Amino acid sequence: MIPITPDIIGPGIEEEYADALERIDFLYNKFKPYPESNDTPQGRLLLSIGWFKREITGQHLPIPVDKSHRHTIAYMYTNGDLGGPEQGNTDDVDVALGELLMVLDGDGLIKKRHYPVVISQINDFAALVAQNVEISDILPIEKEALAQLNKIKEQLTDHEIDLPVSKNDYPAWKDPTALAHFNDRGLPNGWAMRKQITLSVFSGYTPYPAKKPPLPAPHPRLTQRAANLSPVRDWLVAKTGTVPQAMAELNQIMRGRMLEKSDYPTVVNQINHYLKRVDRYVPAQGRSPATRSALTQMREIMARLHHHEIDLPVELDQYPELGEFTTLAGILDKHDADDWLYFNEIYYEIFYARCPNPVWKGAQ
């Protein structure tokens, strides 16, 4: 293996951002005829990539990003949820989704500066096979695969191809399980070497030796993991009686952009409104210790937000009683059937930086 220099590793997170935005813009243009809505797969994709674009533009996104933040894209990529070509899901969409996931997962996309690494990997792999497998034992399909790999190396050296290439042009590699001696236990580390080469050559991954380390966001804001919606789901199931009804309600709840500092006055207004309703309808002597603590924590957040002492989101473990969703959810249900929705909105603004519902703009 050749030495891996800083020039081979390349730029920092700005390169990953640019690669992600290129795929996001492509996908947006493909599906922009669809409304941004949780009601359709195309609409959900637009909401998801729109969120990623905002987080990247604000330099809030680390690379790799936790899988909980990109599960919508991953699900659509692996399950074909976007439909067929008549819905806009053409082959280039599949490629763009896959490459976007590669960037978000921290695997990175192969660049021309990586080609010497791939050439070195191919040389090392060929040498490993020669040292450990008798020529008489090599299968015809394996000889063909080695010849095709050598051809790829020569084409890279002569600047005749760009990676990734299609397996259709190198058919011996279509079924790696047929290359028995390349996976044999007698070929030390052979399976891993073969896998790393094929991921770069046929799928466009950054060669493993040249992968960048984890890259923190220049202006971090995200929680490590995305919001855990199971408490909301369970609450909605209890209210609506069925999972489909609950998920329909949840889809309505989760629409919207991410919270910005210009939204803070709206959040303060919401919390103040909510606390006044609690004081009006829930007698102090009837409140549990957990409820009293959660309300105190909410008042503290409101005051600190009003005086510009904190930014949202805040960490759940700093406000454990308030962070336990069910502590306050529903305490006003006797007086307002939509109390759970009001509290849910405040909860996800405080802990997950979801923007306020537009109706609150007129309530300030």
Side-chain angles (χ1 to χ4, degrees):
M1 174 53 59
I2 62 172
I4 303 301
T5 65
D7 287 341
I8 290 176
I9 298 294
I13 200 168
E14 65 272 15
E15 182 175 54
E16 314 311 304
Y17 281 175
D19 285 342
L21 288 174
E22 181 180 338
R23 276 81 190 165
I24 287 170
D25 289 342
F26 169 81
L27 292 167
Y28 177 80
N29 288 328
K30 271 283 189 176
F31 294 102
K32 65 182 178 182
Y34 289 88
E36 295 186 12
S37 166
N38 278 308
D39 297 331
T40 66
Q42 295 81 9
R44 286 193 291 275
L45 176 64
L46 289 172
L47 288 173
S48 184
I49 62 177
W51 179 83
F52 274 112
K53 184 166 186 175
R54 288 189 294 272
E55 294 305 304
I56 290 171
T57 302
Q59 298 186 323
H60 305 311
L61 196 74
I63 299 293
V65 64
D66 189 85
K67 292 182 179 181
S68 62
H69 289 291
R70 55 78 163 163
H71 61 84
T72 296
I73 296 173
Y75 180 84
M76 291 179 178
Y77 177 66
T78 56
N79 290 276
D81 202 31
L82 291 169
E86 62 278 6
Q87 284 86 36
N89 187 21
T90 49
D91 289 343
D92 49 2
V93 168
D94 192 64
V95 171
L97 280 172
E99 291 178 343
L100 178 57
L101 286 170
M102 287 158 63
V103 175
L104 297 177
D105 286 344
D107 294 311
L109 303 179
I110 195 164
K111 309 292 182 183
K112 289 183 185 297
R113 66 178 186 269
H114 298 137
Y115 291 0
V117 180
V118 177
I119 291 171
S120 181
Q121 286 180 304
I122 292 174
N123 285 333
D124 290 349
F125 182 75
L128 187 71
V129 174
Q131 292 168 7
N132 291 276
V133 184
E134 296 291 336
I135 294 178
S136 58
D137 292 336
I138 297 181
L139 303 173
I141 188 68
E142 294 171 340
K143 292 179 181 179
E144 185 180 354
L146 287 173
Q148 290 178 1
L149 206 57
N150 188 62
K151 181 181 178 181
I152 290 170
K153 181 189 73 173
E154 293 174 349
Q155 289 173 314
L156 287 174
T157 302
D158 295 336
H159 311 289
E160 295 176 353
I161 59 170
D162 287 325
L163 299 181
V165 294
S166 172
K167 285 186 178 180
N168 291 331
D169 297 325
Y170 306 91
W173 288 94
K174 280 191 172 182
D175 181 13
T177 61
L179 308 174
H181 290 98
F182 296 174
N183 299 298
D184 194 274
R185 292 181 182 177
L187 191 65
N189 204 35
W191 181 90
M193 289 181 68
R194 190 267 299 167
K195 185 70 173 177
Q196 289 177 20
I197 292 170
T198 55
L199 283 174
S200 295
V201 169
F202 299 117
S203 299
Y205 284 74
T206 297
Y208 184 80
K211 274 186 63 173
K212 295 175 184 176
L215 302 168
H219 303 292
R221 181 177 73 174
L222 291 182
T223 54
Q224 174 62 25
R225 293 185 58 80
N228 176 13
L229 299 181
S230 55
V232 186
R233 178 204 60 206
D234 296 342
W235 182 260
L236 289 169
V237 169
K239 287 184 64 66
T240 62
T242 69
V243 172
Q245 287 176 318
M247 295 311 296
E249 295 273 13
L250 185 58
N251 284 341
Q252 293 294 322
I253 293 168
M254 292 308 295
R255 286 194 177 104
R257 58 177 174 80
M258 293 296 288
L259 189 77
E260 299 171 357
K261 286 193 176 183
S262 60
D263 296 313
Y264 287 3
T266 301
V267 178
V268 170
N269 179 63
Q270 286 176 286
I271 296 175
N272 187 49
H273 176 80
Y274 179 84
L275 290 172
K276 285 182 178 179
R277 288 177 57 76
V278 171
D279 288 340
R280 179 178 179 183
Y281 292 114
V282 182
Q285 61 271 24
R287 302 173 191 175
S288 69
T291 297
R292 290 197 296 271
S293 180
L295 291 170
T296 299
Q297 291 168 6
M298 186 180 280
R299 290 188 181 93
E300 177 188 335
I301 290 172
M302 179 181 70
R304 297 185 67 192
L305 202 58
H306 178 70
H307 292 293
H308 311 289
E309 295 175 358
I310 58 169
D311 286 324
L312 297 181
V314 297
E315 294 294 332
L316 280 162
D317 56 8
Q318 294 179 3
Y319 302 93
E321 287 78 22
L322 181 58
E324 182 62 42
F325 181 83
T326 53
T327 302
L328 291 182
I331 64 171
L332 293 174
D333 265 358
K334 293 181 181 178
H335 311 281
D336 190 334
D338 287 330
D339 164 63
W340 62 271
L341 183 58
Y342 296 150
F343 175 72
N344 174 83
E345 184 167 355
I346 294 170
Y347 180 90
Y348 281 96
E349 289 163 4
I350 289 174
F351 294 114
Y352 297 105
R354 198 186 67 218
C355 80
N357 187 309
V359 300
W360 279 97
K361 291 291 185 181
Q364 294 187 69

